[in-house]
């Protein structure tokens, strides 16, 4: 098994549970596999497929996913093909012939096609195993229900002896039971791996308004010049605006949302996969269909509606295991909007509870990863050290006076105002609507002038979360003081607020890593082997891009970012050494070794 892993995929060791799952399949037993996105599910059926006689059949719901998988298998010299509605007749004839000749080790197929072929093509083949990818699509309880999946029981009826493995990244208990029942699995072994993704950093910014978001996003992207990422927004309109803003600042960006034609969506996806754009501004619809392993960051322009959505979306970063960053903006406006959606939805209670849990995550003053894992039923016995709370624990101060000013203004307007008016009153801004109502005559008018507008946004969000007031969604979002709030207002209790820290106010004195001198070609690299040379990495990246373009495949399929970093650290100068790098199997060694070794030799010798 280990040898096949190294020869065919280039990896030296298994990730947790992979070995056990593969052994179970080789024993011809059924399996259910739950692993987070990027956990390494594919190898679990691809490797046994290579070790067993015959062809493995992989059912996959999306054509783009199949394409991606087939390309990366072929890039490792493995004979894989896809059978779906994208193929033309000639392709189909060829494919059938190759299948019948037993030349194909792994055949991807759409569920519709599978049902058609069960009595035709598949009957003629020796089938090693069936893998059902994205198996949660079978369940009406899941979020991606696909009716065709419910007919997959036919596999078991026709092939009672062939092992079936069902794989998914999202399945609660009900969905899991549904998968087992509907596929009619026989005493399946269930493998649940940890949902922790330690390579993803977690960061939340509270109460930012548009201008600050823009500045933060630009700084974030400029710090990562060659690294691509996704910005998720709540509305189509917002994706367009954010993309326009980025383009105006010279960033290659595009949009992806359900309002576009399918060809425009395909183009956006292709451009992203092939690194022709750096950023995709998308609604939640984006990402399901791609396995791009080198998405280096994900930003949420708005808060998602649940932790499930959030985790799935950030999960699209860093599948290759290399450090990747995530950033969530969270504002009062989002909360108002999302609460409205939840209230208007058919399932108020559930959706409000989900939103509530998401809000707790965003508000947390303990390690955020603990909250996430806890939500998925795992407990973690240590802080992660890779979230903003761990890196920069919140400090509190006595904010009673600030809270009293705000609550008093709400009280004096008979609780008939929303946050915008409240801030205007506190700041002493003369707005037409404000003077019309005579609010400029209130005692609290201008009482909070010393606190900047954007800080008020933050404090009000904190106050809401501490339960000092509520928002009456059915009364034009007016603010209503709670019992807890009244206690602070009348001086019976203190209010401890979190100190607002803004990144841009910090002096830029962080001990910066010493930069290498710019790459003059021929200059030998001075950094010792074992430490990464960024100059070499950039050169390797460009070589990878050239090789990818020549073959019209995405760069991450040629070599992953992780492998490229290893090359820049270990700098192999012979083909043999090149072959020992993690992620380089026999096929890639032969195919790319010469080019990479040559470049490394040029860059490292005088
Ligand atoms: P999933 O389908 O669970 O989202 P993938 O199967 O696409 O995840 O795997 C994610 C990444 O991890 C891929 O780039 C894959 O090649 C890599 N990977 C999988 N198994 C291993 C392993 N044992 N060692 C190193 N990398 C691995
Ligand atoms: Zn943490």
């Amino acid at each position: 098994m280990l040898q096949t892993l190294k020869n065919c995929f280039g990896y030296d060791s298994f990730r947790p549970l992979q070995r056990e799952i593969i052994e179970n399949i080789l024993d011809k037993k059924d399996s259910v596999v739950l692993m987070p996105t990027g956990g390494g599910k594919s190898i679990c059926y691809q490797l046994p497929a290579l070790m067993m006689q015959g062809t493995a059949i992989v059912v996959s719901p999306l054509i783009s996913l199949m394409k991606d998988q087939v390309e990366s298998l072929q890039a490792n010299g493995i004979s894989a093909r896809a059978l779906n509605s994208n193929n033309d007749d000639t392709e189909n004839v060829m494919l059938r012939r190759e299948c019948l000749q037993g030349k194909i080790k792994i055949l991807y197929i759409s569920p519709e096609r599978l049902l058609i072929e069960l009595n035709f093509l598949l009957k003629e083949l020796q089938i090693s195993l069936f893998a059902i990818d994205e198996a949660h699509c079978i369940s009406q309880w899941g979020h991606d229900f696909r009716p065709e999946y419910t007919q997959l029981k036919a596999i078991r009826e026709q092939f009672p002896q062939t092992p079936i493995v069902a794989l998914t990244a999202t399945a609660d208990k009900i969905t899991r039971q549904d998968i087992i029942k509907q596929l009619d699995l026989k005493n399946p072994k269930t493998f649940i791996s940890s949902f922790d993704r330690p390579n993803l950093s977690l960061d939340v910014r509270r109460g930012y308004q548009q201008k600050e978001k823009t500045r933060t996003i630009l700084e974030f992207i400029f710090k990562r010049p060659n690294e691509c990422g996704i910005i998720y927004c709540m509305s189509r309109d917002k994706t367009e605006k954010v993309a326009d803003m980025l383009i105006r600042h010279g960033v290659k960006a595009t949009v992806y949302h359900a309002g576009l034609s399918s060809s425009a969506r395909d183009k956006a996806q292709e451009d992203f996969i092939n690194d022709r754009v750096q950023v995709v501004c998308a609604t939640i619809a984006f990402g399901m269909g791609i396995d791009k392993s080198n998405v280096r960051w994900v930003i949420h322009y708005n808060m998602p509606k649940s932790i499930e959505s959030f985790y799935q979306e950030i999960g699209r970063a860093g599948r290759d295991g290399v450090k990747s960053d995530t950033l969530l903006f969270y504002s009062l406006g989002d909360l108002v909007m999302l609460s409205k959606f939840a209230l208007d939805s058919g399932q108020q209670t559930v959706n409000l509870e989900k939103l509530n849990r998401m809000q707790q995550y965003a508000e947390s003053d303990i390690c955020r990863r603990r909250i996430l894992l806890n939500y998925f039923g795992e407990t973690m016995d240590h802080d992660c050290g890779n979230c903003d709370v761990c890196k920069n624990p919140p400090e509190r101060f006595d904010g009673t006076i600030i809270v009293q000013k705000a609550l008093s203004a709400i009280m004096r307007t008979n609780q008939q105002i929303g946050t915008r008016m409240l801030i205007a009153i506190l700041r002493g801004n003369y707005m037409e609507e404000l003077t019309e109502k005579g609010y400029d005559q209130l005692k609290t008018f201008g009482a909070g002038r010393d606190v900047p507008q954007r800080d008020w946004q933050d404090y009000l969000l904190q106050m809401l979360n501490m339960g000092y007031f509520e928002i009456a969604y059915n009364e034009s979002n007016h603010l209503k003081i709670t019992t807890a709030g009244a206690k602070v207002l009348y001086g019976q209790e203190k209010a401890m607020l979190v100190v607002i820290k803004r990144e841009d106010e910090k002096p830029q004195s962080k001990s910066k890593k010493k930069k290498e001198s710019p790459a003059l070609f021929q200059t030998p690299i001075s950094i010792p082997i074992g430490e990464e040379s960024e100059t070499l990495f950039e050169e390797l990246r460009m070589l990878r891009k050239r090789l990818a373009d020549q073959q019209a495949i995405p760069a991450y399929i040629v070599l992953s970012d992780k492998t490229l970093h290893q090359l820049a650290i270990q700098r192999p100068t012979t083909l043999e050494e090149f072959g020992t790098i993690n992620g380089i199997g026999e096929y890639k060694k032969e195919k790319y070794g010469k080019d990479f070794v040559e470049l490394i030799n040029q860059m490292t010798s005088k």
Side-chain angles (χ1 to χ4, degrees):
M1 275 166 61
L2 263 181
Q3 201 162 8
T4 314
L5 184 70
K6 178 64 198 165
N7 285 345
C8 298
F9 299 96
Y11 300 131
D12 300 324
S13 58
F14 285 107
R15 294 217 182 128
L17 293 185
Q18 284 180 332
R19 176 193 289 277
E20 292 81 347
I21 296 163
I22 294 168
E23 280 169 350
N24 200 51
I25 299 176
L26 291 175
D27 281 350
K28 308 227 164 191
K29 292 183 186 143
D30 290 345
S31 330
V32 177
V33 174
L34 264 93
M35 268 190 197
T37 310
K41 286 186 282 301
S42 322
I43 299 254
C44 298
Y45 58 83
Q46 291 169 347
L47 195 133
L50 297 178
M51 295 178 67
M52 292 161 89
Q53 295 280 331
T55 307
I57 307 295
V58 185
V59 182
S60 173
L62 289 170
I63 293 179
S64 52
L65 271 182
M66 288 190 212
K67 181 165 179 276
D68 207 272
Q69 295 267 348
V70 168
E71 276 178 356
S72 57
L73 284 165
Q74 289 176 345
N76 277 318
I78 297 165
S79 65
R81 296 281 187 281
L83 185 57
N84 56 45
S85 54
N86 257 17
N87 304 14
D88 59 33
D89 289 344
T90 343
E91 271 177 303
N92 272 337
V93 172
M94 296 250 296
L95 203 153
R96 276 163 195 279
R97 188 179 311 146
E98 287 178 314
C99 280
L100 294 172
Q101 290 168 341
K103 284 189 180 158
I104 310 253
K105 283 312 284 182
I106 306 181
L107 180 67
Y108 284 79
I109 190 164
S110 58
E112 303 86 347
R113 222 26 209 265
L114 175 101
L115 295 170
I116 299 172
E117 297 290 358
L118 267 179
N119 277 314
F120 296 95
L121 180 63
L122 299 194
K123 260 207 166 142
E124 310 290 322
L125 302 183
Q126 183 184 7
I127 294 176
S128 52
L129 64 98
F130 284 95
I132 317 296
D133 207 5
E134 312 287 350
H136 59 276
C137 294
I138 213 166
S139 173
Q140 309 212 29
W141 308 107
H143 51 86
D144 264 329
F145 176 56
R146 280 163 199 265
E148 317 84 66
Y149 261 63
T150 54
Q151 297 172 48
L152 293 181
K153 199 178 243 169
I155 297 179
R156 175 57 4 114
E157 287 160 10
Q158 301 265 359
F159 296 89
Q161 306 301 334
T162 315
I164 300 178
V165 49
L167 309 103
T168 172
T170 45
D172 46 44
K173 244 193 210 130
I174 304 177
T175 315
R176 214 185 305 153
Q177 285 161 357
D178 228 10
I179 292 174
I180 296 176
K181 191 168 130 238
Q182 296 211 41
L183 288 174
D184 198 11
L185 301 184
K186 280 185 298 197
N187 300 321
K189 210 163 171 178
T190 301
F191 300 88
I192 304 178
S193 85
S194 165
F195 270 63
D196 192 11
R197 300 278 311 278
N199 63 317
L200 301 184
S201 74
L202 305 168
D203 195 352
V204 178
R205 304 292 166 84
R206 180 183 50 217
Y208 279 27
Q209 300 307 293
Q210 186 172 318
K211 239 163 112 188
E212 284 177 282
K213 286 191 194 175
T214 300
R215 196 181 49 225
T216 309
I217 290 172
L218 285 171
E219 272 173 21
F220 183 98
I221 293 175
F222 290 151
K223 262 192 222 155
R224 298 164 175 77
N226 290 310
E227 300 187 338
C228 55
I230 307 172
I231 303 181
Y232 285 107
C233 306
M234 191 152 27
S235 66
R236 297 174 189 181
D237 179 55
K238 203 78 214 172
T239 61
E240 308 268 356
K241 289 204 169 105
V242 176
D244 283 348
M245 179 279 286
L246 291 174
I247 292 166
R248 274 202 309 281
H249 286 87
V251 179
K252 288 192 191 133
T254 189
V255 293
Y256 186 102
H257 56 67
L260 300 173
S261 67
S262 72
S263 64
R265 270 183 286 161
D266 287 349
K267 180 172 184 315
Q269 192 161 294
E270 284 292 309
D271 283 348
F272 188 58
I273 288 175
N274 291 295
D275 300 323
R276 291 190 286 265
V277 297
Q278 188 189 354
V279 182
V280 177
C281 302
T283 49
I284 45 165
F286 183 71
M288 163 86 179
I290 56 167
D291 266 350
K292 185 175 170 65
S293 71
N294 64 339
V295 176
R296 290 270 70 88
W297 52 266
V298 166
I299 293 179
H300 279 90
Y301 196 90
N302 304 102
M303 187 165 81
K305 63 180 194 306
S306 69
I307 290 190
E308 282 99 340
S309 314
F310 173 67
Y311 205 61
Q312 201 176 44
E313 285 153 20
I314 62 170
R316 293 182 179 135
R319 282 170 181 242
D320 52 14
V322 176
K323 189 184 149 4
S324 306
D325 298 314
T326 77
L327 176 60
L328 164 71
F329 291 110
Y330 155 56
S331 75
L332 204 54
D334 293 348
L335 210 53
V336 171
M337 190 74 102
L338 289 166
S339 305
K340 235 191 157 57
F341 290 159
L343 283 169
D344 294 346
S345 73
Q347 296 173 296
Q348 270 193 21
T349 332
V350 179
N351 289 336
L352 281 175
E353 175 55 21
K354 289 194 169 188
L355 178 58
N356 200 4
R357 298 289 297 266
M358 184 66 224
Q359 196 181 341
Q360 281 165 9
Y361 167 83
E363 270 308 310
S364 172
D365 51 13
I366 64 162
C367 173
R368 295 198 203 274
R369 203 170 310 265
R370 289 189 147 191
I371 306 227
L372 285 182
L373 291 179
N374 186 302
Y375 184 83
F376 293 110
E378 273 178 60
T379 39
M380 190 162 128
D381 59 3
H382 58 280
D383 288 348
C384 77
N386 195 18
C387 73
D388 58 327
V389 178
C390 282
K391 288 177 196 161
N392 209 350
E395 292 161 36
R396 292 189 181 268
F397 70 104
D398 184 347
T400 310
I401 293 182
I402 291 178
V403 173
Q404 283 172 336
K405 282 180 182 170
L407 293 179
S408 153
I410 298 174
M411 194 57 104
R412 284 169 199 273
T413 57
N414 293 322
Q415 316 195 73
Q416 295 299 314
I417 55 170
T419 50
R420 202 172 75 95
M421 181 64 82
L422 173 59
I423 294 176
I425 295 173
L426 289 163
R427 298 268 309 143
N429 295 341
Y430 289 94
M431 296 196 308
E432 197 178 310
E433 197 194 334
L434 187 154
T435 42
E436 264 171 22
K437 297 219 159 112
Y439 293 156
D440 53 339
Q441 305 302 316
L442 296 178
K443 223 180 126 201
T444 34
F445 184 73
R449 197 172 275 131
D450 51 328
V451 176
Q453 161 121 6
R454 58 183 193 173
D455 288 2
W456 271 120
Q457 292 280 355
D458 189 317
Y459 290 140
L460 289 181
L461 194 49
Q462 293 191 39
M463 287 168 59
L464 176 68
N465 285 311
M466 292 168 83
Y468 295 150
F469 63 78
E470 288 166 348
I471 299 179
Y473 296 104
N474 53 353
E475 258 185 68
S476 322
N477 298 328
H478 287 164
L479 310 178
K480 309 286 171 187
I481 298 173
T482 59
T483 327
K487 283 189 184 150
V488 179
L489 179 59
Y490 300 120
Q492 291 152 0
E493 246 159 54
K494 279 202 300 190
M496 299 303 288
L497 294 178
V498 172
V499 178
I500 300 172
K501 292 176 196 159
R502 294 194 193 270
E503 192 137 88
D504 49 289
E505 283 162 8
K506 262 188 253 153
Q508 289 283 325
S509 65
K510 272 184 256 145
S511 63
K512 277 210 189 108
K513 251 207 293 184
K514 221 176 83 190
K515 273 259 173 283
E516 286 177 78
S517 53
L520 290 173
F521 212 64
Q522 303 297 343
T523 315
I525 289 162
S526 53
I527 294 187
I529 287 186
E531 274 176 51
E532 177 162 351
S533 158
E534 285 172 34
T535 318
L536 178 58
F537 182 81
E538 284 312 318
E539 293 289 335
L540 293 168
R541 195 207 292 265
M542 284 189 270
L543 172 58
R544 176 179 71 170
K545 175 83 174 126
R546 278 202 301 281
L547 294 168
D549 287 348
Q550 280 165 16
Q551 307 168 76
I553 57 175
Y556 63 89
I557 286 184
V558 172
L559 293 179
S560 74
D561 277 15
K562 188 156 198 168
T563 302
L564 223 55
H565 283 297
Q566 281 306 311
L567 289 176
I569 293 170
Q570 300 183 21
R571 290 171 235 156
T573 51
T574 65
L575 211 56
E576 263 46 64
E577 281 171 33
F578 181 78
T580 64
I581 302 286
N582 204 8
I584 296 171
E586 278 304 309
Y587 188 81
K588 287 188 176 175
K589 180 174 114 184
E590 293 306 322
K591 188 155 188 181
Y592 304 122
K594 196 166 148 284
D595 288 321
F596 280 98
V597 166
E598 200 174 283
L599 172 66
I600 293 169
N601 275 320
Q602 268 176 14
M603 295 280 297
T604 50
S605 57
K606 294 206 175 127

